[in-house]
Amino acid sequence: MTSRRWLWLFLLVLGAAFLWQLGSWGPLESSEARYSEIGREMLAGQDWLHPRLLGIQHFHKPPLTYWLTAAGLGLFGENTFGVRLLPVLAVLLQVVLMYGLGMLLFQQDRARALAASVIYGTLPVVLISALNVTTDAYLATLELAAAYGILRYYHGGGVRWLYLFWLGLGLAFLTKGPVGFVLPLMVVIGFYFKQGQTKRPFTLHHALGFALFVGVGLSWYLYLIAENPAFLRYFLFEHTVERFANAATFNRAKPWWFYLVLAPATSLPWAVALVARAVRTPWNSVPREWRNVLIFWVLVPLLFFSLSKSKLLLYVLPIFPGVVLLTVYYLGRCTEAALHRWYVGIVAFYGFLLGALCLLPILTTVVNLGFEVKPFTAIWPAAGVVVLVLTLTLWNQVRIAPRLLVATTLFTVFLLLSAKPIMQQNELAFNGSRPLAELIRDKKLTNRQVLVYDQLLPSLAFELGQLPVFLNDGNHNLNRETQFEPGTSWHRYLLYLQDPQQEPALGALLLQHPVLLVKGELKPERQWMLRYFTQQEKLGKWTVLW
């Protein structure tokens, strides 16, 4: 089989593993639930320019992710499968783009391009991005598309690749703003830095491409600024400068070394191989092209994201294409004997992890891990160990690299099959709301108004298909940006209990025999609310009263 056929086979296997039970657990707080609910409200309200979260306008991110989420819900139903399918397809497209980048950087070496795509598609951080709906999976896809487009153009491709670059940049800007420039810009700099590359002449197509970027990437921003000039400061300062410089703005403060630990941890075992081989390889023996990949594709973006005060794991997803390409390059310099040692170590690591998953049902009964795992869940990792052993002992492939890639694929498939039942069994522990929604349905309470005390819970709104009323009693996570609301109608969805003027609205709600959800306990000064409810049931840390 050719490498392309192996690539399509890998995509088919990985895609099937992703799609199996993809909607078996509900959206999890906070990011996935937020994007899911905004997409649902956008589809229901048919307002594609003013995203709303729980009835209140929400402009924290540009709208492309919301549009795609709404499209998934419209095409595949208002369920979690509809939310998660398009991010999965976006990640599969990233695998294809990695193959294309590998072909360019490895001078049409199809075997190494295939290795890059397989390693990338099986990285833990990439798997997380596919199953946790945020902007990051879409952003990584668009950045990779822009990077591939400009490199293909620089390698003698036609002008259509230049347009792909500008279109990818525009859509990336419409996904997450200026941060979408990071990988494509670094690719351009790395291509020219000290390599003496002949620059392609400036033509009309460059101007038209830039116009395409402006028309696509800035259109939504310009529309809102024309509608309300206050958006200019909001986008430029609060969601660009403040997000980067002030950790308190979005409550995502992390230490400066956060990515230095998490990035290698979420790219195991390949991060170990990359660091070990890079340290042992003399710097002068590495071609300038690959030095630039290390500097501009990995180290400079890692430094940039580390300097930012706002940090989440998936923010650094754009560095991993460079990490993977470098890993393939350095391992490709190994002798077969050295590669065999890496093969033994990596497969042992896979076996250890699957073995640990087999023991997880026992471990959760001995140690309080905060979640439970049923015994039958161990079937999948146990089957993974068996298949891995049988494949590697019975397959008589002489070369090490194919055996390593097959082992990696098998491990990833069984890891995905093992993780999904665990997610389904522990939705409340992992901040999902489906069990709460199922209780409300089972008790035939869906015709009552639902109140949520001092917690932001968009996942419940998504599961019920209706908007609860949220009672803010001092939780800063419930503070919403209402400066762009045209009136006070947003009080229908959010009450500030510490504001005496809103007590009559609360009293009116309680007289309607609502359902009240409380995580933990009501504050002592709110205990009087309990007299309006005659029944209650506990689910995990939640109490449902009606």
Side-chain angles (χ1 to χ4, degrees), residues 236-253:
L236 289 181
F237 184 73
E238 293 185 36
H239 279 275
T240 302
V241 177
E242 280 289 297
R243 185 181 289 272
F244 186 88
N246 189 350
T249 305
F250 295 96
N251 304 307
R252 290 170 179 170

Side-chain angles (χ1 to χ4, degrees), residues 65 71 76 79 128 150-151 153 188 205 217 238 244 260 313 328 339 344 358 363 371-372 388 404 432 470 495 540 543:
T65 301
F76 305 104
N79 50 58
I128 292 170
I150 196 63
L151 279 186
Y153 176 72
V188 172
H205 295 292
E238 293 185 36
F244 186 88
L260 298 181
L313 169 63
V328 174
L339 192 59
V344 171
C358 291
L363 186 61
F371 61 93
E372 298 178 356
L388 200 60
L404 181 55
F470 293 86
L495 294 179
T543 303

Side-chain angles (χ1 to χ4, degrees), residues 153 162 166 192 199-211:
Y153 176 72
L162 181 64
W166 287 112
Y192 284 116
K199 293 185 179 181
R200 297 193 64 170
F202 182 87
T203 68
L204 177 63
H205 295 292
H206 289 80
L208 293 176
F210 181 75

Side-chain angles (χ1 to χ4, degrees), residues 28-37 132-134 252 312 458:
L28 304 180
E29 301 290 341
S30 62
S31 295
E32 183 179 50
R34 187 168 62 250
Y35 288 106
S36 301
E37 176 57 15
N132 182 28
V133 180
T134 64
R252 290 170 179 170
L312 287 178

